[in-house]
Amino acid sequence: MKDILKKMSNLINVKTIVTLLLTIVFCILALKSIINGEQFLVIFTTVIAFYFGTQHEKNNTDKNE
């Protein structure tokens, strides 16, 4: 149970909030046909790759210390 609470608290940081907000905004833009599917895919892939890349790097740094 403590692990779950710790993971939930770790989700609430600036990078996570920005990533989630960007995802929501671009989903809305795609659904309203303001951007097309290809543009959405490029943007979403970039945002998610950055988010998971920084999380992976942070985890590697934490393990090395």
Side-chain angles (χ1 to χ4, degrees):
M1 185 67 173
K2 289 181 182 180
D3 286 341
I4 293 172
L5 291 175
K6 184 177 178 183
K7 287 181 182 182
M8 293 298 287
S9 68
N10 287 340
L11 283 175
I12 304 174
N13 62 36
V14 175
K15 286 186 283 189
T16 302
I17 293 169
V18 169
T19 302
L20 291 174
L21 287 175
L22 281 172
T23 301
I24 292 167
V25 167
F26 285 112
C27 285
I28 292 169
L29 291 175
L31 291 172
K32 289 186 173 185
S33 298
I34 296 172
I35 61 173
N36 64 28
E38 186 175 317
Q39 291 170 325
F40 172 78
L41 186 61
V42 170
I43 293 165
F44 186 71
T45 303
T46 304
V47 169
I48 296 301
F50 174 77
Y51 175 75
F52 283 110
T54 57
Q55 290 297 337
H56 179 72
E57 186 65 31
K58 179 182 171 188
N59 289 340
N60 281 345
T61 303
D62 291 344
K63 288 179 184 176
N64 290 337
E65 290 180 353

